[in-house]
């Protein structure tokens, strides 16, 4: 049982004084989103702390696509899911194989690749949007979901390679030597030794890249233009194109769109914390 001392009580009090305002600051926007989502159009902007007549009609309208902004809701939600899963899978493949080659096989030029990967983050991703648009246009990929997928893999891969490489460096090399003495090929070493030991970090970077693609707006807005191919994140922006925007429908849709990444994060948060910090401090 924890023994409470004056010093421990003072520390807990300081943490609460910091944590409670931060928690409220974080939850207030979410609360307002829920407030709008369960309010009717007339009462959505009334300023009340709770609607007089809460309703779930906004969610029914969204699910049944009964507004012209929501004509392709399910298709766009499916686009977001497909693109996010594909980005996560491709980034995981690229980062895992690259980190294995650099860290365990020690290929020539591996350090240079790592430095170049980190160098890409000196330039904000937003600054690369126009060059990326031009590049995809040159290859005829504009308005193709592959354009967004490749762009997101390009953005996510350097960080994921760095995280996996640092985590891989902490694995004992004696395991590799023992596997080679037993006649294991590099592919068998990768499949039977490396992958099982790297599961927490693999889940972490896969989840990171998936959520990055799920929440992307700028590249999706630039590279996709057809209503049937855009992601739901871009479609949500269309709600703001009118003077009298249906805020209650926007917030209901946004709340639905926020649920999958929240569920994914909380399902894998144990891996997220452990995996992303696996290579933060080298032993």
């Amino acid at each position: 049982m924890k023994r409470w001392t004056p010093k421990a009580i003072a520390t807990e009090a300081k943490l609460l004084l910091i944590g409670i305002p931060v928690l409220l600051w974080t939850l207030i926007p979410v609360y307002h989103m829920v407030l709008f989502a369960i309010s009717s159009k007339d009462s959505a902007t009334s300023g009340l702390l709770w609607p007089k007549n809460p309703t779930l009609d906004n969610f029914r309208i969204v699910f049944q696509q009964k507004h012209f902004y929501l004509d392709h809701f399910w298709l766009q939600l499916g686009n977001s899911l497909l693109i996010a899963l594909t980005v996560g899978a491709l980034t995981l493949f690229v980062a895992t194989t690259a980190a294995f080659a650099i860290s365990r096989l020690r290929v020539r030029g591996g350090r240079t690749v790592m430095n170049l990967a980190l160098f890409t983050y000196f330039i904000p991703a937003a600054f690369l949007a126009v060059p990326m648009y031009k590049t995809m246009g040159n290859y005829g990929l504009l308005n193709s979901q592959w354009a967004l997928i490749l762009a997101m893999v390009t953005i996510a891969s350097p960080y994921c390679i760095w995280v996996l490489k640092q985590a891989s460096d902490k694995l004992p090399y004696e395991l590799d030597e023992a596997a080679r003495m037993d006649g294991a090929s590099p592919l068998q070493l990768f499949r039977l030794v490396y992958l099982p030991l790297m599961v927490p970090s693999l889940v972490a970077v896969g989840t990171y890249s998936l959520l990055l693609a799920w929440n992307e707006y700028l590249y999706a807005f630039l590279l996709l233009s057809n209503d049937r191919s855009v992601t739901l994140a871009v479609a949500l922006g269309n709600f703001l194109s009118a003077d009298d925007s249906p805020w209650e429908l926007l917030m209901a849709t946004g709340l639905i769109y926020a649920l999958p990444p929240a569920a994914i994060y909380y399902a894998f948060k144990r891996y997220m914390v452990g995996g992303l910090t696996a290579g933060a401090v080298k032993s």
Side-chain angles (χ1 to χ4, degrees):
M1 185 175 180
K2 185 176 181 180
R3 183 179 178 182
W4 289 98
T5 63
K7 184 177 179 180
I9 294 174
T11 302
E12 290 291 334
K14 291 177 183 178
L15 291 175
L16 288 175
L17 288 175
I18 297 173
I20 291 176
V22 171
L23 178 64
L24 292 175
W25 183 262
T26 304
L27 292 180
I28 284 175
V30 179
Y31 168 75
H32 280 286
M33 178 181 288
V34 175
L35 188 66
F36 271 81
I38 62 174
S39 299
S40 62
K41 184 176 180 61
D42 296 334
S43 63
T45 56
S46 62
L48 297 175
L49 292 178
W50 189 256
K52 292 182 179 180
N53 299 303
T55 178
L56 296 178
D57 282 347
N58 296 324
F59 294 96
R60 179 181 56 81
I61 293 172
V62 173
F63 289 140
Q64 296 181 359
Q65 304 180 142
K66 290 189 174 180
H67 192 280
F68 60 88
Y69 283 143
L70 299 165
D71 284 343
H72 307 293
F73 167 77
W74 289 110
L75 180 61
Q76 292 162 350
L77 183 63
N79 292 339
S80 295
L81 183 61
L82 175 63
I83 290 172
L85 290 175
T86 306
V87 169
L90 289 179
T91 302
L92 200 56
F93 174 77
V94 171
T96 305
T97 52
F100 175 74
I102 295 170
S103 177
R104 313 308 289 187
L105 300 183
R106 298 182 177 180
V107 296
R108 180 179 299 178
R111 182 177 295 274
T112 302
V113 172
M114 287 298 302
N115 292 335
L116 290 175
L118 291 179
F119 178 76
T120 61
Y121 283 99
F122 288 124
I123 305 174
F127 290 179
L128 300 175
V130 174
M132 190 72 74
Y133 179 88
K134 180 67 175 177
T135 301
M136 295 302 175
N138 290 339
Y139 286 98
L141 291 174
L142 287 181
N143 203 31
S144 167
Q145 292 179 352
W146 277 107
L148 181 58
I149 290 171
L150 294 175
M152 288 293 97
V153 171
T154 302
I155 293 171
S157 291
Y159 175 70
C160 294
I161 292 173
W162 180 81
V163 169
L164 291 180
K165 194 267 182 185
Q166 297 301 317
S168 178
D169 285 345
K170 298 177 69 176
L171 300 179
Y173 283 97
E174 289 79 6
L175 295 174
D176 296 26
E177 294 171 356
R180 289 192 178 98
M181 290 179 63
D182 289 337
S185 65
L187 184 59
Q188 290 173 321
L189 181 65
F190 174 77
R191 182 169 57 88
L192 300 176
V193 177
Y194 180 75
L195 288 182
L197 294 175
M198 291 288 290
V199 167
S201 295
L202 295 178
V203 173
V205 298
T207 305
Y208 161 79
S209 55
L210 187 152
L211 295 180
L212 182 71
W214 180 271
N215 293 317
E216 179 58 35
Y217 177 82
L218 176 60
Y219 280 83
F221 177 78
L222 287 176
L223 300 176
L224 303 175
S225 58
N226 190 302
D227 286 342
R228 300 185 64 85
S229 63
V230 299
T231 61
L232 191 56
V234 175
L236 287 172
N238 295 333
F239 281 84
L240 304 177
S241 61
D243 295 332
D244 186 22
S245 299
W247 291 99
E248 70 286 353
L249 297 181
L250 172 61
M251 295 304 170
T253 309
L255 194 61
I256 296 169
Y257 190 62
L259 292 178
I264 291 171
Y265 173 77
Y266 280 105
F268 297 112
K269 67 178 180 179
R270 178 166 57 94
Y271 293 105
M272 290 288 289
V273 174
L276 293 179
T277 59
V281 179
K282 295 185 68 175
S283 56

